[in-house]
Amino acid sequence: MNNLILMLTGFFLFAQQAPLSDRLHSGDEAPLFNTTEVRGEKLKLRKLLKEQERVLLVFMRHAWCPVCNLRSHELMERYEELKAANYEVVVVYESPQEQLIRYVEDHELPFKVVADPSGELYRSYKIERNPDKLKAAMQDEKTLAHIEKGKKSYKKDFRSYMAKGEKPDALIPADFVLDHKGNILQAYYGKTLDDHLPLEELIGAEK
């Protein structure tokens, strides 16, 4: 077991799991928010929803999380397809602004990116923190392979995007598809550390 896996698993006993009954569901109104995108642009979700037919809102872990890096590259590589299918993409990371902007600039991410180290948006969208899922993921061959692939996809050492004192936790990613009225069309809470809504379901639906 390498140092990264030890680091990811070492904190899981102290994480708290949110009740699954608190989850958001299809048909619910999406919690609206006003924030600033990491590159300085004001981001008002209500305004963005009025301008776009749909928004794919993605909740990641930290910028230094290899499986999140893998998903970020998937979103980057298929961003034009998502745009052609009438989606705008907004991705939220736990990382602080200073570390996240370096990651965004190094990897030239084309979508909108939000830093939420305080966890305010994660709480609004009932994002799960599940130590059992994290522990199971660290014993899953597919997840371990994704971790290694994600590490190799970084432009720099993944640790360069870590803030001083930043700790791993048991956050499990989630994806939400929102319509222009602010309703949740789909709420997808990951089953494991690297489980996201398949993009083919979104892109293919428009073909």
Side-chain angles (χ1 to χ4, degrees):
M1 185 176 290
N2 62 32
N3 290 337
L4 175 61
I5 295 173
L6 284 170
M7 182 170 62
L8 287 171
T9 56
F11 193 64
F12 77 87
L13 290 175
F14 302 97
Q16 295 183 357
Q17 178 178 352
L20 298 185
S21 59
D22 285 346
R23 286 183 173 183
L24 298 175
H25 300 89
S26 299
D28 289 346
E29 291 185 9
L32 299 175
F33 57 84
N34 298 330
T35 187
T36 302
E37 204 265 354
V38 291
R39 285 159 283 213
E41 174 191 359
K42 297 295 182 183
L43 197 163
K44 298 182 178 181
L45 184 58
R46 184 187 295 277
K47 183 175 184 292
L48 184 63
L49 289 170
K50 289 181 178 179
E51 296 171 348
Q52 300 291 149
E53 187 171 330
R54 296 188 222 16
V55 168
L56 173 61
L57 178 60
V58 180
F59 285 88
M60 301 280 201
R61 291 161 54 83
H62 300 90
W64 51 265
C65 169
V67 290
C68 298
N69 183 47
L70 196 61
R71 175 65 167 186
S72 295
H73 275 72
E74 181 185 18
L75 290 170
M76 178 172 59
E77 292 164 3
R78 308 203 69 176
Y79 182 65
E80 292 305 320
E81 292 179 81
L82 286 163
K83 292 286 285 185
N86 301 310
Y87 289 92
E88 183 53 88
V89 179
V90 178
V91 183
V92 182
Y93 297 82
E94 293 184 283
S95 295
Q97 166 76 17
E98 182 180 351
Q99 283 69 35
L100 187 54
I101 188 62
R102 289 207 307 267
Y103 171 72
V104 169
E105 291 177 346
D106 286 347
H107 296 84
E108 301 180 349
L109 300 188
F111 42 80
K112 299 182 185 300
V113 176
V114 175
D116 185 30
S118 68
E120 180 179 353
L121 299 183
Y122 289 88
R123 290 188 291 273
S124 294
Y125 278 81
K126 314 297 183 183
I127 305 304
E128 184 180 8
R129 297 178 189 273
N130 190 317
D132 292 331
K133 285 185 177 181
L134 177 60
K135 185 178 180 181
M138 294 303 101
Q139 299 170 348
D140 181 79
E141 290 186 5
K142 180 180 177 182
T143 300
L144 295 178
H146 285 167
I147 288 174
E148 290 305 312
K149 186 175 181 180
K151 285 170 64 177
K152 293 176 182 178
S153 299
Y154 278 108
K155 297 286 186 178
K156 300 177 180 176
D157 189 294
F158 71 93
R159 286 164 291 199
S160 67
Y161 304 112
M162 294 182 71
K164 184 178 180 180
E166 195 172 23
K167 298 178 179 178
D169 62 18
L171 188 140
I172 306 300
D175 303 298
F176 300 86
V177 179
L178 315 179
D179 69 12
H180 68 282
K181 295 181 179 179
N183 298 316
I184 297 175
L185 296 179
Q186 190 168 359
Y188 190 97
Y189 290 89
K191 299 179 182 65
T192 185
L193 201 63
D194 52 347
D195 182 29
H196 283 274
L197 177 65
L199 296 184
E200 284 298 338
E201 291 187 17
L202 307 183
I203 296 168
E206 297 298 313
K207 295 181 177 180

